[in-house]
Amino acid sequence: AAAFEGVAQAAATVHEDDVRGKQLALYVVPSGPVAVSGSGVVDPARVREYLRTKLPDYMVPAAVVVLERLPLTASGKLDRRALPAPDFGAEPAGRTARSPREEILAGLFAEVLGLPAVGIDDSFFDLGGHSLLATRLISRIRATLNTEVPVRALFAAPTVAGLATLLDEDRAVRPALTPATRPERIPLSSAQNRLWFLHRLEGPSATYNIPMALRLTGRLDREALQAALADVVGRHESLRTIFPETDGFPYQLVLAAAEAQPTLETRQTSEEELVDAILTVSRHDFDLSAELPVRAWLFGLAPEEYVLVLVVHHIAGDGWSLAPLFRDLTNAYAARADGRTPDWAPLPVQYADYTLWQNELLGDHSDGDSLISRQLEYWRGTLSGLPEQVTFPTDRPRPATATYQGDSLYFKWDAELHQGLVDLARATGTTVFMVLQAGLAALMNRLG
């Protein structure tokens, strides 16, 4: 970005919020005054267009923020904590809707992106949208307009004006997700089946654990915290679901809230031993057939200093689950500490309802006309002829069994490195991402 005309300095960092998740933000300092027009003014949109010609899509920042100067620490280094949060709604919206359909779409764009308004020519992805938010938008369009639109349509036409022309009111609409009548044995969803299979293949392990650590300062009501944990587990069926099996086939068994009382293990430790203690409990091996897929530990550091560690197995949640989990736990603790039960509305659907909806939608593998059969046939044809793995020259052979050991490696990304990766990807007929995967695998092998 510093090579762009009019940019004197540039710095990039990852910004995270509750709506968009993690986004790459770029901060630039113009070579001239920020507040005047003419020479020295930097147009964020032009910077992003320039970067699109130099970088792969996933490296193009979602927002460009123009600053008078970069904030520095006392030692003269970049103070990343002082960088302002990017305001995706800072630019005024462009053309307004010309029809009821465009008006509804513009409202849905703004709702999903967390913006006050969206112009019909504004790109969903330029405003901070990404693939996960795209899925949310498609779901909202389906529910609001009662029309089916594939996700790829949004990538092909990421504006309200463009997407409005692609909506097909005659396309069959998926059935709505509603509370379902529960059979005696609830089947697993596709995602749960994958994780259950790996659990049975490899045995209990911490590979798919999702840990969250919260530092708590001040007087702590442990009884209220224990009750709040029980409230959250009672509210979300997925946190009190176990996966027994009969004749080799698993099913979801949702325990009653009274039976599913999570334990809060309390331990004393020191600041020096805290990291190792958190790592130890984060590696807890869940027994999915009989154990709740959530565990909690409270580490006492001082009379009014604690760290709460929650570990959720991936079969019951994902990275996006941590925000609502933390929000519900906070609200429940505040209520219990005040002598009340949490005042929250019941959830409209639970994960078991989604599972039954998904199984009905996809159909049976044995039915050649089912959606799952058609999807599998499509991917068999699309991937036909590709090698099982892309081979690159490495200094150590690929292990027969994955160890799942990892580490953090930091390296400077510059234009010369990027061009070298592009050249190697072209020479091997692959992508920059695959080259990076192979290179990192080789480095990890060398590190042992």
Side-chain angles (χ1 to χ4, degrees), residues 227-427:
L229 284 169
D231 290 331
V232 173
V233 171
R235 176 172 171 77
H236 298 277
E237 287 185 355
S238 58
L239 297 179
R240 49 186 170 93
T241 299
I242 59 176
F243 302 86
E245 58 183 273
T246 300
D247 298 327
F249 291 95
Y251 61 95
Q252 295 186 63
L253 177 58
V254 181
L255 301 178
E259 300 177 59
Q261 294 296 312
T263 57
L264 177 63
E265 296 187 30
T266 303
R267 302 178 184 179
Q268 290 298 127
T269 188
S270 63
E271 287 284 359
E272 294 75 20
E273 299 173 335
L274 179 61
V275 173
D276 287 339
I278 293 176
L279 289 174
T280 297
V281 298
S282 297
R283 298 188 183 108
H284 174 74
D285 294 339
F286 285 97
D287 178 3
L288 299 182
S289 65
E291 182 182 2
L292 294 183
V294 59
R295 292 288 300 268
W297 291 265
L298 182 66
F299 292 100
L301 302 172
E304 293 191 352
E305 194 75 23
Y306 307 88
V307 171
L308 174 66
V309 179
L310 297 177
V311 181
V312 180
H313 193 278
H314 192 23
I315 204 168
D318 55 20
W320 283 86
S321 305
L322 297 183
L325 174 61
F326 173 70
R327 182 182 62 245
D328 283 355
L329 180 60
T330 301
N331 292 337
Y333 176 75
R336 289 295 182 177
D338 195 35
R340 300 178 289 106
T341 57
D343 182 20
W344 48 36
L347 296 174
V349 291
Q350 295 281 353
Y351 192 83
D353 299 312
Y354 165 77
T355 299
L356 295 170
W357 172 87
Q358 184 192 63
N359 277 268
E360 179 183 0
L361 175 69
L362 295 179
D364 195 279
H365 289 268
S366 60
D367 180 5
D369 292 328
S370 66
L371 179 58
I372 186 64
S373 295
R374 297 198 305 270
Q375 289 181 346
L376 286 173
E377 188 59 33
Y378 167 82
W379 285 111
R380 286 193 187 100
T382 301
L383 302 177
S384 177
L386 290 179
E388 292 188 6
Q389 70 179 60
V390 178
T391 57
F392 287 96
T394 57
D395 58 347
R396 297 191 184 186
R398 184 188 183 97
T401 304
T403 63
Y404 298 110
Q405 294 179 354
D407 203 348
S408 298
L409 299 173
Y410 300 92
F411 58 92
K412 181 180 179 181
W413 186 284
D414 54 26
E416 184 177 353
L417 171 60
H418 175 69
Q419 190 58 49
L421 291 170
V422 170
D423 292 342
L424 181 55
R426 288 172 178 169

Side-chain angles (χ1 to χ4, degrees), residues 10-34:
T13 188
V14 175
H15 173 74
E16 184 172 10
D17 61 34
D18 293 338
V19 176
R20 300 174 186 84
K22 293 182 178 179
Q23 295 274 291
L24 185 63
L26 177 67
Y27 298 84
V28 298
V29 176
S31 54
V34 173

Side-chain angles (χ1 to χ4, degrees), residues 142 148 172-178 357 360-361:
R142 180 187 302 118
E148 197 69 49
V173 181
R174 293 181 180 180
L177 173 56
T178 58
W357 172 87
E360 179 183 0
L361 175 69

Side-chain angles (χ1 to χ4, degrees), residues 151-182:
V151 175
R152 65 177 179 272
L154 180 60
F155 285 87
T159 66
V160 169
L163 191 61
T165 64
L166 300 181
L167 299 185
D168 184 0
E169 296 179 350
D170 295 329
R171 185 181 287 118
V173 181
R174 293 181 180 180
L177 173 56
T178 58
T181 301
R182 305 286 179 86

